[in-house]
């Protein structure tokens, strides 16, 4: 493990449904808990007003002014082209200029992906950066990659997602030889669509601990550590899951409010429900790292509480101190070299 | 509505995890409740032994012997080629020869799809038959089509799935002008992958009540009546949901067993949990019709209880008495004619 020099994380303080309150509080918590420096990027006066609420060390948190904010519902490409002085863009420039080691934002995901690609660029050898998210299962977490940065992928892209996801699992989650599964519709190599059949072959040729196809039914069963799919599928899996948690909660509440006894039962077990809901809430788990860009970028859920922002800052710090980008670039270049030799 | 002549449904009595017990009991229940005739197809002696348990009218249930059974885990294509005398194949031949109006099976889905295509064939104008399933939401059900019969689809295929799904919603579920949504990763027409962008255009040109793209988060929110996607996505959505229900149940049970109070709470609300679980159990809802084949075929979940088989027989009966296949063929031919004129 590489020891950390002083790590500095930029936070897009205007991003998210509860900005700047939650990003600022998350930053204050992180700077205290992890002893790292933070740069808050956003509307100076609003950030100063927020920061005043806390007795944080003045030298630990710096503010860099940005006069524009990209809204959550704004068209990503339009925002990137038109808003030259957005908090997200200025924060990304800090990464590019090596004035910060990582960037955390709960803002517009599409805009963040586009800005990172344009301003910071991809690592050498990486075809497409991907978003990785942690999904909970009974025994811990799996990484789902990609969850939305890329649609219409080729086999090489998914092969690289697998390599990057494995490094994340190994270095940050400390899983030895992380098991990699390809999301498909049957376990056998011949099951799936044209893309997955090609990816299956491509994954066998990597150094990843590829265990084969997995099915939808395995996603929450914890049978693999890294679940690989294109961003179209990954996004749908993620959002269907969110939709289902909400529907299940409402249905359960409906059922539990039918009689006096069930109401009493619910009252007695309310805390259990709270813990349970937290376990399922993606926004708690420190965000989705964008792997494959030449810098560290962690995207948080728009409705992230301060604690989630704090966790994402911790993940960014871990990525920086482990020099994860270096490892990704090295392994990706190795895999490309290997493929070249085998041709 | 077309009034029913005497409807006769064939049941693959050897299909499913609990065969022949559940299919036979389901058939007995259906023949009594709906006053229809049933043909049980399978191992004669085993079926006679099962049937003896019930005091069903002898003239209502007929047995046709089949000496082979396709196992649940058997490779579908292999089974279709090698097992010429399987219960599934003999039942499909009854449909082809118009000796039965519909077929219900809880057996091997892949084998059923293949056998129906080969033995019974598709309706004129239909490019690819599709599997439609009902998914529960807070206010009722949506139809998800396709859930696994087709991967690597073209725009025309999904256009036809939308037309067939709409007819199912209108005629059987009695939904007026069923709202059709295309499953994608953003609401705007330009969001999605290459396929969905093309399908979006194709759907606008149909007579369907197409309301645009929906996202994963809308699947369990009941915003549309018919959700259209290719079979790869549909299968993953379905199986991820099943996996999630199981994981959620286990997590909740873990949380509820932590203290005396939460245990008591659970004990008091146990019935609510049972009802809730039933609401989420796809196997209860009468199976997945295979739309677009020249006959009626309903596929049930492998672990279907007798009641689910009974429900599927009711759906098959409804399809027959509404002459749903005729409507599908007519509307599909109309849509192709319209497309030809517009070229």
């Amino acid at each position: 493990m590489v020891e950390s020099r002083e790590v500095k994380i930029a936070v897009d303080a205007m991003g998210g449904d509860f900005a700047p309150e939650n990003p600022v509080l998350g930053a204050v918590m992180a700077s205290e808990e992890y002893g790292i420096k933070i740069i808050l990027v956003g509307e100076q006066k609003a950030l100063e007003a927020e920061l005043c609420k806390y007795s944080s060390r003045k030298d630990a948190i710096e503010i860099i002014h940005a006069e524009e904010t990209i809204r959550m519902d704004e068209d990503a490409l339009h925002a990137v082209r038109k808003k030259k002085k957005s908090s997200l863009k200025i924060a990304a420039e800090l990464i590019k200029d090596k004035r910060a080691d990582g960037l955390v934002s709960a803002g517009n995901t599409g805009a963040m992906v586009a800005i990172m690609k344009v301003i910071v660029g991809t690592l050498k050898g990486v075809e497409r950066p991907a978003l990785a998210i942690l999904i909970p299962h009974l025994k811990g977490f799996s990484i789902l990659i990609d969850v939305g940065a890329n649609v219409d992928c080729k086999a090489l892209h998914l092969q690289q997602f697998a390599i990057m996801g494995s490094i994340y699992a190994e270095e940050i989650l400390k899983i030895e030889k992380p098991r990699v599964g390809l999301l498909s519709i049957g376990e056998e190599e011949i099951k799936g669509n044209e893309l997955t059949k090609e990816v299956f072959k491509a994954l066998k040729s990597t150094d990843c601990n590829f265990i084969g196809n997995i099915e939808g039914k395995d996603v929450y069963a914890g049978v693999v550590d890294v679940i690989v799919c294109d961003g179209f599928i990954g996004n749908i899996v993620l959002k269907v899951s969110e939709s289902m948690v909400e529907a299940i909660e409402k249905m359960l509440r409906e059922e539990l409010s039918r009689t006096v006894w069930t109401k009493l039962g619910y009252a007695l077990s309310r805390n259990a429900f709270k813990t349970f809901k937290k376990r399922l809430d993606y926004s708690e788990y420190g965000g989705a790292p964008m792997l494959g860009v030449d810098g560290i970028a962690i995207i948080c859920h728009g409705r992230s509480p301060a604690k989630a922002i704090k966790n994402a800052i911790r993940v960014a710090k871990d990525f920086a101190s482990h020099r994860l980008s270096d490892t990704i670039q090295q392994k990706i270049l190795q895999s490309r070299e290997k493929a070249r030799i085998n041709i």
Side-chain angles (χ1 to χ4, degrees), chain A residues 179-238:
Chain A
R179 297 158 300 170
V180 173
L182 172 62
L183 186 55
S184 186
I185 59 166
E187 283 174 15
E188 306 86 346
E189 181 166 352
I190 52 148
K191 290 281 176 71
N193 60 17
E194 279 170 25
L195 177 65
T196 61
K197 285 176 205 168
E198 219 184 306
V199 176
F200 195 105
K201 285 194 196 91
L203 286 179
K204 282 202 294 188
S205 75
T206 62
D207 297 329
C208 293
N209 180 14
F210 176 51
I211 65 145
N213 285 341
I214 66 159
E215 295 183 62
K217 70 178 168 55
D218 305 316
V219 166
Y220 288 95
V223 298
V224 292
D225 304 300
V226 181
I227 301 167
V228 177
C229 59
D230 76 36
F232 186 84
I233 308 275
N235 182 285
I236 288 177
V237 165
L238 192 66

Side-chain angles (χ1 to χ4, degrees), chain A residues 55 70 84 113 145 210 271 275 292-293 314 317:
Chain A
S55 59
I70 297 175
K84 301 287 183 200
V113 167
I145 181 170
F210 176 51
N271 279 334
T275 324
V293 283
R314 178 183 45 72
K317 172 187 83 70

Side-chain angles (χ1 to χ4, degrees), chain A residues 278-298:
Chain A
K278 239 180 173 164
R279 251 171 104 170
L280 287 173
D281 190 353
Y282 300 95
S283 69
E284 293 276 329
Y285 303 136
M290 187 176 171
L291 302 176
V293 283
D294 190 13
I296 295 156
I298 317 285

Side-chain angles (χ1 to χ4, degrees), chain A residues 89-329:
Chain A
K89 184 155 176 274
I90 289 173
E93 279 163 354
L94 294 175
I95 306 295
K96 187 194 159 206
D97 301 340
K98 311 283 178 203
R99 290 170 61 200
D101 299 287
L103 162 58
V104 170
S105 174
N108 184 315
T109 301
M112 173 117 164
V113 167
I115 282 177
M116 286 302 291
K117 279 188 193 171
V118 173
I119 308 273
V120 180
T122 52
L123 290 167
K124 225 187 258 178
V126 172
E127 289 283 316
R128 291 205 192 169
L131 282 178
I133 204 157
L134 295 184
I135 59 168
H137 57 72
L138 288 165
K139 293 157 252 160
F141 296 96
S142 302
I143 293 169
L144 181 65
I145 181 170
D146 173 52
V147 295
N150 306 283
V151 292
D152 297 315
C153 292
K154 296 199 174 115
L156 174 63
H157 304 147
L158 272 81
Q159 188 196 44
Q160 295 193 341
F161 300 167
I163 294 170
M164 298 192 294
S166 294
I167 295 169
Y168 176 21
E170 204 158 356
E171 302 274 328
I172 306 294
L173 306 184
K174 304 291 173 208
I175 298 168
E176 259 183 82
K177 289 194 186 171
R179 297 158 300 170
V180 173
L182 172 62
L183 186 55
S184 186
I185 59 166
E187 283 174 15
E188 306 86 346
E189 181 166 352
I190 52 148
K191 290 281 176 71
N193 60 17
E194 279 170 25
L195 177 65
T196 61
K197 285 176 205 168
E198 219 184 306
V199 176
F200 195 105
K201 285 194 196 91
L203 286 179
K204 282 202 294 188
S205 75
T206 62
D207 297 329
C208 293
N209 180 14
F210 176 51
I211 65 145
N213 285 341
I214 66 159
E215 295 183 62
K217 70 178 168 55
D218 305 316
V219 166
Y220 288 95
V223 298
V224 292
D225 304 300
V226 181
I227 301 167
V228 177
C229 59
D230 76 36
F232 186 84
I233 308 275
N235 182 285
I236 288 177
V237 165
L238 192 66
K239 293 203 170 161
V240 164
S241 303
E242 286 181 0
S243 155
M244 196 162 193
V245 171
E246 271 175 43
I248 282 180
E249 216 199 321
K250 281 181 194 155
M251 282 184 195
L252 202 51
R253 211 181 295 148
E254 252 181 47
E255 295 304 334
L256 287 170
S257 64
R258 284 200 205 279
T259 72
V260 175
W261 293 113
T262 56
K263 272 185 201 162
L264 179 60
Y266 178 63
L268 288 170
S269 40
R270 194 171 292 161
N271 279 334
F273 278 102
K274 271 192 197 156
T275 324
F276 158 74
K277 214 189 143 187
K278 239 180 173 164
R279 251 171 104 170
L280 287 173
D281 190 353
Y282 300 95
S283 69
E284 293 276 329
Y285 303 136
M290 187 176 171
L291 302 176
V293 283
D294 190 13
I296 295 156
I298 317 285
I299 301 180
C300 298
H301 202 293
R303 58 166 198 259
S304 289
K307 200 181 143 198
I309 306 279
K310 183 199 78 174
N311 288 338
I313 295 173
R314 178 183 45 72
V315 173
K317 172 187 83 70
D318 287 350
F319 269 60
S321 55
H322 285 77
R323 297 184 181 282
L324 214 79
S325 298
D326 294 353
T327 314
I328 288 176
Q329 177 154 310

